[in-house]
């Protein structure tokens, strides 16, 4: 085992945070990375974290994207927040954090909520899960979901945008990042009305989002412009970081599904977190735990 770890000279740190820590959580993460042939070198409790946090040091010969793809389902299965980064020490502080919207800043998948207004909730939920888990290619899946909303009045979309089920802790998160001078972005495949509402309410600096086509005040079931799929998300994050003169190691991304993989892979600090798939009785971290976990160093 020592020989194998020596050969795997790329080391990663995986931080595991939970409101109610369990060895089962750590074991699940270890099993996931070891299924790729990675070697868990060490496991220790992080001292001084406000929420219980464990750090794994992992040796892995493969690409970071493979680690992320394997870990993404765990945030939907368990109430976990996972931070993945290469083992090099960060030279400068984070300057930009990009967030997915649905099931991250908002405690639901908004396409599913829209579908309930159109009487196609069951089919929409099924298709959404296929996209989130990576079982279907996002762009085609999203077009099919958008087509199911044909005839929905724009007024209903706007009304829902004003009553979003915001994840607990968004205001504290935004304040914490702002006082540290960190820019924030919402990069989502969902409709502009939702990301615009969150931006207006909490002051996020940038948004990148898909746009529903509207004619005579109703959704046509088509899109106006490009779909914000996985590669578009990564390209948007890359363009923002270049515009802000930030190297990828000074960029963080937060997401929970397959459509976030490329964005998470680009960012030096990759945060996996889901706010919607766990029942109300399950202890869950607030979204401002993202700010906390980003501030944890290798101490």
């Amino acid at each position: 085992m020592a020989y194998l770890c020596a050969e795997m000279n790329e080391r990663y740190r995986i931080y595991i945070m939970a409101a109610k820590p369990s060895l089962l959580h750590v074991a699940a993460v270890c099993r996931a990375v070891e299924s790729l042939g990675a070697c868990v070198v060490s496991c220790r409790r992080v001292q001084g974290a406000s929420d219980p946090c464990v750090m794994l040091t992992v040796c892995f010969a493969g690409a970071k994207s493979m680690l992320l793809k394997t870990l993404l389902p765990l945030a939907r299965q368990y109430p976990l927040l996972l931070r993945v980064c290469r083992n090099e020490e960060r030279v400068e502080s984070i300057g930009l954090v990009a967030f997915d919207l649905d099931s991250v800043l908002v405690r639901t998948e908004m396409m599913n909520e829209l579908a309930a207004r159109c009487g196609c909730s069951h089919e929409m939920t099924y298709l959404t899960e296929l996209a989130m888990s990576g079982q279907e290619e996002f762009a085609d899946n999203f077009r099919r979901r958008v087509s199911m909303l044909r005839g929905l009045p724009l007024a209903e979309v706007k009304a829902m945008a004003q009553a979003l089920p915001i994840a607990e802790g968004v205001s504290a998160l935004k304040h914490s990042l702002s006082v540290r001078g960190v820019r924030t972005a919402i990069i989502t495949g969902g409709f502009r009305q939702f990301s615009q509402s969150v931006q207006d309410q909490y002051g996020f600096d940038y948004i990148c989002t898909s746009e529903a086509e509207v004619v005579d005040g109703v959704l046509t079931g088509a899109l106006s412009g490009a779909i914000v799929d996985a590669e578009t998300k990564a390209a948007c994050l890359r363009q923002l970081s270049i515009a802000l003169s930030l190297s990828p190691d000074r960029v963080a991304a937060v997401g929970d599904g397959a459509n976030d993989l490329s964005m998470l892979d680009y960012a030096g600090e990759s945060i996996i977190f889901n706010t919607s798939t766990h029942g109300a009785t399950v202890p869950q971290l607030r979204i401002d735990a993202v700010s906390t976990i980003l501030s944890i160093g290798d101490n």
Side-chain angles (χ1 to χ4, degrees):
M1 182 66 73
Y3 172 77
L4 288 175
C5 288
E7 291 294 306
M8 297 176 183
N9 55 11
E10 185 75 75
R11 288 200 175 197
Y12 296 88
R13 282 172 283 155
I14 302 175
Y15 294 85
I16 308 166
M17 186 177 282
K20 187 175 181 181
S22 168
L23 289 177
L24 292 176
H25 298 153
V26 177
V29 175
C30 289
R31 284 196 302 270
V33 298
E34 288 173 348
S35 72
L36 295 173
C39 174
V40 178
V41 178
S42 65
C43 173
R44 66 179 178 83
R45 172 76 179 268
V46 177
Q47 300 299 319
S50 57
D51 290 294
C53 184
V54 169
M55 187 190 79
L56 304 180
T57 301
V58 173
C59 282
F60 183 49
K64 178 186 172 187
S65 60
M66 295 176 63
L67 273 179
L68 294 171
K69 186 176 181 179
T70 299
L71 292 171
L72 273 168
L74 296 184
R76 302 174 65 77
Q77 183 177 357
Y78 303 103
L80 294 179
L81 189 154
L82 302 172
R83 169 188 165 200
V84 182
C85 54
R86 288 186 170 85
N87 202 47
E88 301 94 352
E89 285 193 30
R90 190 191 306 154
V91 177
E92 297 182 80
S93 60
I94 290 293
L96 171 67
V97 183
F99 297 86
D100 182 29
L101 182 72
D102 296 78
S103 294
V104 176
L105 295 175
V106 174
R107 291 184 292 101
T108 189
E109 293 289 329
M110 291 308 300
M111 294 295 285
N112 295 351
E113 301 301 316
L114 291 171
R117 306 290 182 97
C118 298
C120 54
S121 180
H122 180 75
E123 184 180 358
M124 181 71 81
T125 300
Y126 174 72
L127 289 175
T128 299
E129 181 56 31
L130 291 179
M132 292 295 294
S133 61
Q135 296 178 64
E136 283 193 359
E137 190 270 332
F138 183 85
D140 179 64
N141 177 288
F142 191 64
R143 288 189 189 93
R144 288 159 60 198
R145 285 186 283 154
V146 172
S147 71
M148 295 164 61
L149 304 177
R150 183 170 52 250
L152 182 68
L154 178 61
E156 291 198 31
V157 179
K158 290 182 175 180
M160 292 178 67
Q162 296 305 310
L164 293 171
I166 301 295
E168 187 178 6
V170 170
S171 181
L173 167 70
K174 184 62 179 65
H175 175 74
S176 174
L177 294 175
S178 293
V179 297
R180 290 157 54 185
V182 180
R183 300 292 186 92
T184 51
I186 300 171
I187 303 180
T188 173
F191 293 158
R192 175 171 295 276
Q193 287 81 4
F194 303 127
S195 53
Q196 186 75 62
S197 176
V198 177
Q199 182 185 38
D200 292 345
Q201 186 173 354
Y202 296 99
F204 284 77
D205 297 293
Y206 313 99
I207 59 173
C208 175
T209 182
S210 300
E211 191 87 53
E213 183 182 74
V214 178
V215 175
D216 296 330
V218 299
L219 275 61
T220 67
L223 290 163
S224 176
I227 294 174
V228 180
D229 60 7
E231 296 312 311
T232 304
K233 284 190 169 193
C236 179
L237 183 56
R238 186 180 304 110
Q239 290 165 8
L240 279 175
S241 64
I242 291 171
L244 295 170
S245 300
L246 297 172
S247 57
D249 64 301
R250 294 192 61 203
V251 175
V254 186
D256 72 310
N259 196 40
D260 301 313
L261 181 58
S262 295
M263 177 173 75
L264 291 168
D265 189 40
Y266 172 80
E269 298 280 353
S270 308
I271 308 291
I272 300 171
F273 190 49
N274 179 286
T275 63
S276 72
T277 59
H278 312 292
T281 60
V282 178
Q284 172 97 354
L285 290 166
R286 291 161 45 103
I287 187 69
D288 49 319
V290 167
S291 179
T292 301
I293 206 168
L294 282 174
S295 68
I296 295 173
D298 191 12
N299 46 51

